[in-house]
Amino acid sequence: MGSIPETILVSSDKTIPLLGFGTAEYPFGASSETMKDSILHAIKLGYRHFDTAALYQSEPLLGEAISDAIQLGLVKSRDELFITSKLWCSDAHHDCVLPALHKTLKNLKLDYLDLYLVHWPVSVKPGEYELPVKQKDLVPFDLKSVWEAMEECQKLGLTKSIGVSNFSIKKLENLLATAKIPPAVNQVEMNPLWQQKKLRDFCEKKGIHITVYSPLGAKGTLWGTNLVLDCKVLKEIADAKGKTIAQVCLRWAHEQEASVLVKSFNEERMKENLDIFEWKLSQDDLQKINQIPQRKGFPGLEFISDEGPYKSLEELWDEEIDLSLEYFT
């Protein structure tokens, strides 16, 4: 198995592996020794990018796995790994950002992160790490002051790069208008059923790298469905290529020049997910994928409230979100 290719993050001039391993396990906080063993196995297979978040409550286990991997000689040092974590909404307040990052680093037993992301363009009252959030706790999100605190984290060397997650074009424009350090990454939901073409084009123009979550439709999560893995178009392409539907989805995202996060604790699938670099989708395949009707998997209804800053999905995403299943029934 060859090593995972990398790309340069324009904002920070650091590199990011184009395939990463996610650690969100539902329900949050139920992370187990299985996860730690899976992370160690992933390192043995060649994964180097690991994605966590304060919300997932998987930081301590990832930290243990990193320590074990170094002790076992699977990697020579922590510098061989790329570690991403995220600022939760309850810490998305200027004065909470630095303490939140210190807490994350303590959980991981690390001196620095490679990438620290604002998890959502949302703030809730400080305290709880939970999803869904309590609607009564939703408060206005002060993007400018939160980002200033993120920039300070990078200047202090506590993270090599900073970025965002779940940000629309409009919210990125607002951020870029005042940012001294532009975001290196926007981590978003993306797969053949939610292709994000406008957002991808915008990010490419602005030098913001896209990292993909839910590349297979997030089956087994709070919001996930089988729609991606049950898609007939993808099945036909996979069968013709002698690949799995998952491999076709991952390869498609890779061909959009995004980095992709996968999450499987199944050893065979962990290996399969690495097998996306030595083959290509044809123009015909790509054309078929482009014609798949689009439907967002995770709308973020939890963040919508008549009393909160976002009163509709259109305000959260700055575009119309169709939640109907009519294309797929």
Side-chain angles (χ1 to χ4, degrees):
M1 195 75 67
S3 62
I4 292 168
E6 299 181 334
T7 194
I8 298 267
L9 297 175
V10 174
S11 167
S12 59
D13 207 31
K14 305 294 181 191
T15 58
I16 184 171
L18 288 169
L19 188 67
F21 193 85
T23 63
E25 192 178 20
Y26 302 90
F28 297 128
S31 302
S32 59
E33 281 296 311
T34 314
M35 182 188 285
K36 189 172 125 180
D37 292 343
S38 296
I39 293 166
L40 283 168
H41 188 68
I43 293 172
K44 279 180 198 164
L45 287 174
Y47 288 90
R48 292 295 178 264
H49 177 187
F50 293 87
D51 178 273
T52 182
L55 174 69
Y56 307 160
Q57 298 170 48
S58 58
E59 291 171 338
L61 272 176
L62 176 55
E64 284 175 33
I66 293 167
S67 300
D68 288 359
I70 294 166
Q71 271 187 317
L72 293 164
L74 300 179
V75 287
K76 289 193 184 79
S77 76
R78 176 263 177 273
D79 298 349
E80 291 182 29
L81 301 172
F82 187 101
I83 308 299
T84 298
S85 194
K86 308 181 197 79
L87 177 84
W88 186 238
C89 305
S90 53
D91 289 321
H93 308 272
H94 179 274
D95 295 346
C96 298
V97 175
L98 191 55
L101 178 51
H102 277 302
K103 189 176 172 188
T104 278
L105 290 171
K106 191 179 170 190
N107 283 340
L108 287 161
K109 299 188 209 133
L110 297 178
D111 297 327
Y112 70 90
L113 290 178
D114 294 278
L115 180 61
Y116 196 38
L117 304 177
V118 178
H119 207 150
W120 283 88
V122 173
S123 292
V124 298
K125 288 174 189 168
E128 302 292 325
Y129 294 87
E130 60 183 5
L131 187 70
V133 298
K134 294 184 179 74
Q135 294 201 329
K136 66 178 175 59
D137 290 345
L138 289 163
V139 293
F141 175 63
D142 184 352
L143 173 58
K144 186 172 183 288
S145 73
V146 167
W147 192 252
E148 282 168 0
M150 293 288 286
E151 290 173 328
E152 189 59 25
C153 292
Q154 183 169 326
K155 285 175 195 160
L156 289 168
L158 298 173
T159 181
K160 304 279 187 190
S161 304
I162 51 176
V164 295
S165 182
N166 301 299
F167 270 51
S168 66
I169 291 173
K170 187 177 172 185
K171 288 176 179 59
L172 288 170
E173 284 174 334
N174 292 343
L175 173 52
L176 290 167
T178 60
K180 292 183 179 68
I181 303 173
V185 167
N186 186 17
Q187 187 183 122
V188 295
E189 176 190 2
M190 190 175 118
N191 56 58
L193 270 62
W194 190 245
Q195 296 181 20
Q196 301 268 39
K197 177 133 178 53
K198 280 186 198 157
L199 180 65
R200 282 191 278 123
D201 290 346
F202 176 84
C203 287
E204 190 182 350
K205 282 192 194 102
K206 299 295 181 182
I208 301 169
H209 175 73
I210 294 263
T211 295
V212 175
Y213 74 77
S214 302
L216 311 179
K219 180 189 169 189
T221 66
L222 294 167
W223 66 88
T225 69
N226 287 337
L227 291 174
V228 174
L229 293 174
D230 287 349
C231 175
K232 283 180 188 152
V233 173
L234 297 174
K235 187 175 184 333
E236 283 165 14
I237 294 169
D239 289 348
K241 288 223 156 358
K243 301 291 178 187
T244 66
I245 293 174
Q247 286 170 325
V248 169
C249 291
L250 299 177
R251 178 69 205 182
W252 173 82
H254 176 67
E255 290 190 17
Q256 313 316 307
E257 298 183 357
S259 54
V260 193
L261 298 172
V262 292
K263 203 219 85 182
S264 175
F265 296 162
N266 175 298
E267 292 191 2
E268 201 46 49
R269 279 201 292 274
M270 284 162 71
K271 204 170 167 185
E272 269 175 13
N273 290 340
L274 283 167
D275 180 20
I276 61 166
F277 301 114
E278 307 295 321
W279 54 279
K280 288 182 177 173
L281 293 164
S282 68
Q283 280 309 307
D284 189 41
D285 296 334
L286 292 169
Q287 210 171 344
K288 285 176 184 166
I289 290 171
N290 284 344
Q291 289 166 358
I292 295 173
Q294 297 294 287
R295 181 181 180 273
K296 185 162 184 50
F298 186 27
L301 287 164
E302 298 83 342
F303 303 122
I304 308 307
S305 165
D306 288 341
E307 276 73 58
Y310 300 121
K311 294 177 174 50
S312 68
L313 285 176
E314 285 68 32
E315 288 181 12
L316 176 62
W317 298 108
D318 303 304
E319 65 176 310
E320 206 168 304
I321 302 294
D322 180 10
L323 295 182
S324 72
L325 270 172
E326 64 196 44
Y327 291 130
F328 300 98
T329 49

